[in-house]
Amino acid sequence: MGYQRRSSPLHVVRAAVGSGLCCALALVALLYDDPLVLSAALAAALAAGALAGVGRALRRTLLLALPFALVIALINPLVTEQGVTVIWRFGELPLLGQRDVTLEATVYGLVLALRALALIMAFALFSAVVDPDRLLRLFRRVSFRSALTATLATRMVPVLQRDGQRIADAQRCRPGPPPSRLALVRAVTSGALDRATDVAAALEVRGYGAARRPPRGDWREPWSRHDRAFCAAAVVLALLAVGGRIAGVAGFEVYPSLATSWSAATVLFCLVLAVVPLLPFLDRRGIADPPPGGRTPRAPARDAVALRDLAPAARELRTPARDASAPPVWEAAR
Amino acid sequence: MSEPVLRFDRFTYRYPGAPGPALTELSLEVGEGEFVLLAGRSGGGKSTLLRAGCGLVPHFHGGAVAGELTVAGLDVRDHGPGELAAVVGTLFQDPETQVVMGTVRSELAFPLENRGESRAAVARGVEEAALALGIAHLLERPTHELSGGELQRVALGAALAGRPRLVLLDEPTSQLDPVAGDELIGLLRRLNEEWGTTVVLAEHRLERCLTAADRVLALAGGILACDAEPGAFLAWAAESAPALQTPGASLLARAGLRPPPVGVKAARATLRSAGALDPLPEAEEAAIVERHRTETSREDKVTLPPTRGAAPRPDSPPKHRFRGSRADANAALRVRDLWVEPPAGPTILRAVELTLRPGERVALMGRNGAGKSTLLRHLAGLQQPTRGSIDAAGRVALLLQNPNDYLVHEQVRDEAPRAALALAGLADHADRHPRDLSGGERQRLALAIVLGGGLDLGGPAAGATSAPAGAAAAPAASAPASARGDLPAVLCLDEPTRGMDRTHKAELARLLDRLAAAGTALLVATHDPEFAASFAQRVVLLGDGRPIADGPVAEVLAGGWYFATETARILGGAAGALDPVSGAALIRARLAARAAAPARSPMPARSPAPARAPAPAAPAPPAPTPTEAPR
C-alpha cells in the first residue's frame, strides 16, 4: 500500500507530526505485553485509518498480515519451552527431542501476534497518510541526494508496475509459444533502464546537476490547528505509554506463569490510549469535503486562444553566415 | 533583432559511436520572443538540436562537437544542463518520465529548490506557474493519478517554474490525444504572446501549430534545409519536401492556387477570393469527388506490390471457418451487446454492436476515454466483458500502443518469422538489435510479431517503399502453404501513428492495405483523421461507450467538426472530399465552371489574394512553383 490523498485532518498535518503520531502508536505496542493495551493500540490505528478515509486500505493490509500473525502465534509455543502449565505433550520428536506445549508460551505467541498486528497497522497508517514528498523534504537538509533518490524510487514503483503490466499484455498478444522467462526479464530490465535514462535526462534539465542547498530558516511553515492537535495527541500518547510503563500500569507477566493486574484502572488506561489519538479528528475546520469518488475533478478545457494574424509581413529569409575558417573540435568524454 | 537567445554557429555534433554527425555545420539564431517550429522527418536532427540547446548534448550524451553554441549568452561547452536550466526550460515527448516527484506541488517546486531559492520564493514560483498553466486545481494531486495531458502540463509547469527565457519542446503532443495536444499548443502560444517566452517546438503535425509560429526551421539529415516564415516554408515544402506539406497547402497547390495557406482560415480566404467556395450542383460535385477518390485509390494500388493467390474480396465469403451462426457466415468479427462494467467506476462500454467483414478497413475514433482501447482489448481477449459476446472467424491480433513492449529478443530475426519481417520491410534488418531500430521500424516490427507466421501474401514487402520493387521480397514462395491459415482474421491496432511522421504513416497505410487485400479485417483506433481518411473504408465513432456514428469514411469525416480532415474543414465537407487530391479536383471543377460563365459570375475585383487564373477542369500538375523559394 502507498500514500493515499484524502480530505482528513491527519492528511493536512506536517509530515513530522503525522509520523510522530504513528510512532507513538508503535511505541505503545512495543512497550506493553498486556493484550488489552495491544488491542487498544491496534484499535486506535484502525480507527484513525477509518477516520482519515484510508480504512479500506488498512483493512486490506490487516487481512494480509493475519496469516503472518497466525504463524507467529503457532510457532512460538512450539519453539519455547518456558512456562509451567503444560497443555499438550508431543513426546519424543526426531531431531527436536521432547516437546511440551505450555499455556504460557501459547499466550505469549498470541501476544507477539497481536503486537505484530499493532505495529504493522501503525506503519500502514503512516504509509497511507504521510505524504512521502513532505517526509523526504525533512531529510533534504541532511542529505539532498539521498532524499531525492528515495523520492524517485517511490515515484517509479507505480510507473514500473504499469510498464510490467503493459509488457505482460503485449506478450499475451504474441501468437505462438511465449518467450522464455529470461527474455522477458531482459525486456523488463531493458525497459526499466530506458526509463532510468529518460528520468536522468529530465533531472538534468530541471537543474539537478547544479543543485544547491536552500538557505537556512528563511521561511517557516506556520503551525495549523491540526498540526497542534495531532502533535499534542502524539505527545500525550507517548507520555502515557512511557509513564504507564514506569508506573507499572497494565503489568502482564507470562513466564513462568501467567500473572495479570487487570482492573478498572487498566481498562480506563486502555480506553484513554485508544481515544487520545482520535480526538483531533473531531475538529474538521479547514478541511474540504471529499469530492465524489475521492478525487479532484478535472479542470474544464481552457478556451482556445484567438487566432493570430494569418498574414504576417513577409520575413526576410535567414541565411546563416559561414566562415571560411573551421571551428575547433571539442570532444566530450562521458 | 535583439540579442539572440539561441545561437548555433557552424555547430556539428556526432553521437558516440555513430558513423556520421547528427547535426552538420548548423548556423542559426533564434531571437527573444520568437515562436519557432522545427519541422523535418524522423531522424532529421530535430531532437538533437533541442538536446543541444538544453545542454544534454554533449554533457549527458557524450560525443564530439565542433563549432559554437550559446544559450542566452552561455556557451554550452562550459555550462552543463544544470546551469542552463536557469535560462532554458525543456519538455520531452513522454510525460511519464519527466515528472519525478510524488505530487504536483513538489514537482513544480523541484527546479526552484535545485536553484537554492528560498522557501518563500519557491512557494510563489509554484503558485504563479500553476495559475499561468491552469493547473492550480491539481497542486495537491499525486502525480501517478494524472492523465497524460495533465501530466504533460505539469511537466511544462516544472519547465517554466523558474521563468526561463527559452522553452524547448520535443514533440510534446505525440503521446497526447488531439484535445490535450491542442490545449498544450494553445498554452504555448499564450506563453509566447503574454510572457514573451521564446519557444522552439519540434512537431510532426505541422497543421496543428503552424498558425502559432513566427518561423519554421526544416532539418533534413542534420542540415538546415529551410529557414522561413510559415507561408514561405510551405512554398518550399511544396517543391522540395512534399512530405512536410500540410494537407491544406497540398490541396491548394494541387488546385493551382497560391499562396500556400498557413491554416484553414487562410485557405478558405484564398478559395473565397478565387471564387472556389461557390458550390456546383450536389450530384455533379459528388461525381467529381467519387471519380478522383477512385483514381487515387487505384494509383495507390498500382504502387503496391501485387498480391498473390485468391485474396478474398470484402464481399466474398471468408476462407476461415466461422464459429458463429450461419447468418453471420460472412463476418470476420461480430460483437453483440458488449457491456464492460467494472466493479468500481463508471461503465466503459454499453451495448456495443459491431460487425466487420473480411478485408474491411475500419477506423475506430472517439475522444479519450470513449472506450476505444478497452474495446480492442476485449476483442483480443486481454479482458473479459461483463456481458455480451464476441465471435471471430479466426485469430484476433492486437497491436498495442507501445511497440517496445513486444521486443524481448536480442535480434530482429528472433522476434518474428522471416515472412512477417519481409512483409514489414525489415528483412534487411534481421541481424540488428530491435532497440536499435527507429521508431517507425519498431512499429513495423511489432506488427510483424503480432501477425506471426501466416504471411503467405506473395510479392515484395510493402513496408519497404523506398526500396526498389522486389528488393526486400518476401520469401513467399518458400513459405508453407498452410501459413495462410495463421493470418489473423482480424487485426486491431491501437493508435499506431503516435509520433509518426507523414512518410511513416503512408508506409503503414500501404502495409495495412496489403493485409486487407489478403482478407484480414482491420480495426484501427486512431485520433488522426488524415490517417483514417487515407486507409479506412468505414469509420465507427465511439462516444460514451457506444458507437454514435458508423458509416462510410467520407460521410463521417466530411460531416464532422472535430473529427474531420483539414481538406474537409477547408471545403466545409463538400461532397465528402477528404483528401487533397479529390478536394483539388472539386476546386478545379468549380473554378472551371466559374470561368465558363464569366458573365453570370464575374471574378471579384476586390480580391487581395494573389490567386492564379482558374485552372482547367483536368487535373493540374501538383506543386506550383512558389514565388520565392527559400534557400
Side-chain angles (χ1 to χ4, degrees):
Chain A
M1 67 174 294
Y3 176 64
Q4 301 190 350
R5 181 159 296 280
R6 296 285 186 271
S7 294
S8 88
L10 187 52
H11 279 83
V12 300
V13 299
R14 56 187 64 214
V17 171
S19 311
L21 185 76
C22 298
C23 288
L25 285 170
L27 183 68
V28 174
L30 286 171
L31 287 181
Y32 290 86
D33 287 338
D34 191 315
L36 283 182
V37 178
L38 294 173
S39 301
L42 177 61
L46 288 171
L51 291 170
V54 294
R56 184 177 293 180
L58 257 61
R59 200 169 59 229
R60 248 194 332 264
T61 308
L62 181 64
L63 290 176
L64 289 173
L66 276 174
F68 172 66
L70 192 64
V71 169
I72 293 175
L74 289 175
I75 285 182
N76 190 65
L78 295 178
V79 298
T80 306
E81 290 190 325
Q82 297 180 65
V84 294
T85 317
V86 176
I87 56 174
W88 187 267
R89 284 188 190 280
F90 278 113
E92 197 71 30
L93 293 176
L95 299 176
L96 296 174
Q98 169 109 16
R99 283 284 139 191
D100 294 335
V101 176
T102 65
L103 174 66
E104 290 76 15
T106 306
V107 170
Y108 198 65
L110 291 172
V111 166
L112 287 178
L114 201 53
R115 175 177 289 155
L117 286 179
L119 285 172
I120 288 171
M121 284 303 107
F123 285 103
L125 180 68
F126 163 80
S127 171
V129 301
V130 178
D131 184 344
D133 282 351
R134 286 187 179 190
L135 184 69
L136 291 165
R137 197 167 284 137
L138 291 178
F139 297 102
R140 279 207 189 157
R141 197 168 287 283
V142 181
S143 173
F144 181 83
R145 286 171 193 267
S146 303
L148 180 67
T149 306
T151 308
L152 283 174
T154 312
R155 153 93 184 119
M156 291 309 281
V157 167
V159 172
L160 293 177
Q161 271 176 346
R162 280 200 293 272
D163 283 356
Q165 184 58 51
R166 274 205 340 266
I167 290 174
D169 285 345
Q171 298 315 315
R172 286 175 64 196
C173 292
R174 265 179 184 266
S180 68
R181 278 184 187 278
L182 180 64
L184 279 177
V185 168
R186 209 165 42 210
V188 171
T189 310
S190 174
L193 289 175
D194 282 350
R195 278 258 184 243
T197 307
D198 290 344
V199 170
L203 284 174
E204 289 279 359
V205 299
R206 297 278 184 272
Y208 174 65
R212 281 181 296 208
R213 212 171 269 275
R216 279 183 176 275
D218 57 321
W219 190 60
R220 293 199 175 277
E221 194 181 343
W223 280 72
S224 70
R225 62 172 58 249
H226 303 294
D227 283 331
R228 291 174 197 280
F230 277 104
C231 185
V235 169
V236 168
L237 195 60
L239 288 176
L240 275 174
V242 175
R245 182 71 182 155
I246 292 169
V249 180
F252 186 78
E253 294 295 328
V254 180
Y255 300 118
S257 59
L258 287 176
T260 63
S261 59
W262 286 348
S263 63
T266 311
V267 175
L268 185 64
F269 179 70
C270 294
L271 274 176
V272 171
L273 286 180
V275 169
V276 163
L278 307 181
L279 289 176
F281 285 100
L282 294 174
D283 185 0
R284 286 190 60 89
R285 271 180 286 186
I287 305 299
D289 287 332
R295 290 187 175 190
T296 315
R298 289 191 66 170
R302 299 178 68 80
D303 293 337
V305 182
L307 287 173
R308 288 171 67 87
D309 183 7
L310 290 170
R315 226 176 243 273
E316 197 174 307
L317 301 181
R318 296 168 178 81
T319 309
R322 286 169 189 259
D323 294 335
S325 59
V329 175
W330 182 68
E331 288 280 347
R334 190 173 175 82
Chain B
M1 189 167 138
S2 59
E3 189 195 341
V5 182
L6 186 64
R7 190 172 72 86
F8 288 85
D9 184 12
R10 303 193 67 185
F11 187 80
T12 299
Y13 172 70
R14 194 183 70 243
Y15 281 103
L23 295 174
T24 307
E25 294 273 320
L26 191 67
S27 294
L28 64 92
E29 291 184 353
V30 177
E32 190 93 46
E34 276 193 296
F35 194 125
V36 178
L37 188 57
L38 276 182
R41 290 187 57 177
S42 296
K46 301 188 297 296
S47 297
T48 307
L49 187 151
L50 296 175
R51 285 175 178 260
C54 64
L56 288 178
V57 161
H59 294 280
F60 185 78
H61 294 289
V65 298
E68 286 185 12
L69 167 58
T70 55
V71 183
L74 301 174
D75 191 327
V76 292
R77 291 176 300 184
D78 304 326
H79 300 275
E83 294 166 82
L84 291 177
V87 289
V88 187
T90 312
L91 193 63
F92 300 121
Q93 287 182 18
D94 187 358
E96 193 83 76
T97 47
Q98 293 175 82
V99 173
V100 292
M101 305 301 279
T103 63
V104 174
R105 187 182 290 281
S106 309
E107 184 63 31
L108 297 187
F110 181 61
L112 297 169
E113 288 170 343
N114 281 337
R115 285 162 58 174
E117 301 275 6
S118 67
R119 290 180 73 171
V122 170
R124 182 182 169 187
V126 168
E127 283 299 312
E128 293 221 26
L131 288 169
L133 295 178
I135 51 174
H137 63 292
L138 301 176
L139 276 176
E140 306 306 327
R141 292 270 301 276
T143 47
H144 71 264
E145 281 184 6
L146 303 182
S147 69
E150 289 171 335
L151 216 49
Q152 193 65 300
R153 279 162 74 169
V154 170
L156 180 61
L160 293 171
R163 299 197 67 169
R165 291 170 64 190
L166 171 66
V167 186
L168 306 171
L169 305 106
D170 190 1
E171 297 179 32
T173 65
S174 66
Q175 306 291 316
L176 308 181
D177 66 84
V179 179
D182 287 346
E183 273 181 19
L184 194 71
I185 299 295
L187 201 58
L188 291 175
R189 187 154 63 177
R190 200 162 68 86
L191 291 171
N192 176 249
E193 288 176 351
E194 294 183 11
W195 288 10
T197 309
T198 307
V199 176
V200 181
L201 167 69
E203 183 64 54
H204 279 310
R205 291 182 65 180
L206 299 180
E207 62 273 21
R208 177 185 274 175
C209 39
L210 214 50
T211 52
D214 299 314
R215 182 177 159 199
V216 184
L217 306 175
L219 289 171
I223 294 169
L224 185 63
C226 174
D227 179 354
E229 57 94 16
F233 159 76
L234 288 173
W236 168 83
E239 203 173 54
S240 307
L244 297 182
Q245 264 191 315
T246 62
S250 175
L251 172 74
L252 263 63
R254 286 170 182 272
L257 294 173
R258 286 186 302 171
V262 173
V264 171
K265 189 176 178 182
R268 289 180 68 84
T270 303
L271 291 179
R272 190 176 296 111
S273 64
L277 285 181
D278 304 332
L280 298 172
E282 202 173 312
E284 195 178 330
E285 291 205 335
I288 292 166
V289 169
E290 187 54 38
R291 188 166 64 243
H292 282 83
R293 189 183 297 139
T294 312
E295 282 172 10
T296 312
S297 168
R298 199 178 301 132
E299 277 173 26
D300 281 352
K301 292 275 191 301
V302 169
T303 62
L304 289 173
T307 53
R308 199 188 64 172
R313 298 167 59 85
D315 53 354
S316 68
K319 284 183 166 247
H320 310 282
R321 194 176 66 81
F322 188 66
R323 294 196 294 267
S325 69
R326 196 171 280 277
D328 298 325
N330 61 347
L333 177 83
R334 180 152 182 110
V335 178
R336 292 193 195 90
D337 193 29
L338 187 75
W339 286 79
V340 176
E341 299 161 300
T347 300
I348 300 172
L349 294 177
R350 302 162 193 272
V352 172
E353 301 275 347
L354 181 68
T355 302
L356 300 185
R357 298 158 70 85
E360 196 173 16
R361 293 165 293 177
V362 180
L364 185 64
M365 304 187 79
R367 65 177 165 81
N368 240 17
K372 302 187 296 296
S373 297
T374 305
L375 177 58
L376 297 190
R377 293 172 68 83
H378 280 80
L379 297 184
L382 288 183
Q383 288 174 259
Q384 291 303 311
T386 314
R387 58 194 155 107
S389 66
I390 299 167
D391 296 313
R395 184 163 68 88
V396 178
L398 170 62
L399 180 63
L400 294 164
Q401 285 181 12
N402 191 347
N404 293 337
D405 295 340
Y406 291 89
L407 311 181
V408 294
H409 291 106
E410 294 291 290
Q411 282 191 314
V412 168
R413 68 167 78 250
D414 298 328
E415 295 283 7
R418 207 157 46 129
L421 292 179
L423 178 83
L426 295 170
D428 295 340
H429 301 287
D431 296 329
R432 293 178 64 188
H433 194 288
R435 288 182 186 269
D436 289 340
L437 300 178
S438 71
E441 288 167 344
R442 287 189 203 187
Q443 185 80 352
R444 297 211 302 269
L445 177 56
L447 185 56
I449 290 169
V450 298
L451 286 174
L455 295 162
D456 186 17
L457 305 181
T465 50
S466 56
S478 60
S482 61
R484 283 196 66 85
D486 296 334
L487 194 66
V490 182
L491 173 62
C492 303
L493 298 97
D494 195 358
E495 291 286 350
T497 60
R498 271 187 168 193
M500 270 191 182
D501 62 24
R502 272 187 227 288
T503 311
H504 286 137
K505 285 183 196 176
E507 284 176 7
L508 179 66
R510 279 191 281 269
L511 184 55
L512 295 182
D513 190 62
R514 218 169 124 70
L515 287 166
T520 295
L522 300 170
L523 183 61
V524 181
T526 180
H527 282 298
D528 187 345
E530 308 290 343
F531 179 70
S534 72
F535 95 94
Q537 300 165 310
R538 177 182 151 204
V539 173
V540 175
L541 195 58
L542 276 189
D544 197 25
R546 59 178 308 174
I548 52 174
D550 184 350
V553 63
E555 199 176 281
V556 178
L557 292 186
W561 182 32
Y562 193 83
F563 295 101
T565 61
E566 193 172 44
T567 300
R569 278 184 278 140
I570 290 170
L571 295 173
L578 295 178
D579 59 286
V581 174
S582 56
L586 183 63
I587 293 170
R588 286 197 301 268
R590 285 177 176 180
L591 292 174
R594 190 178 172 80
R600 289 200 306 272
S601 175
M603 290 288 282
R606 59 184 172 77
S607 166
R612 277 188 165 187
T625 309
T627 49
E628 51 174 355
R631 201 174 34 82

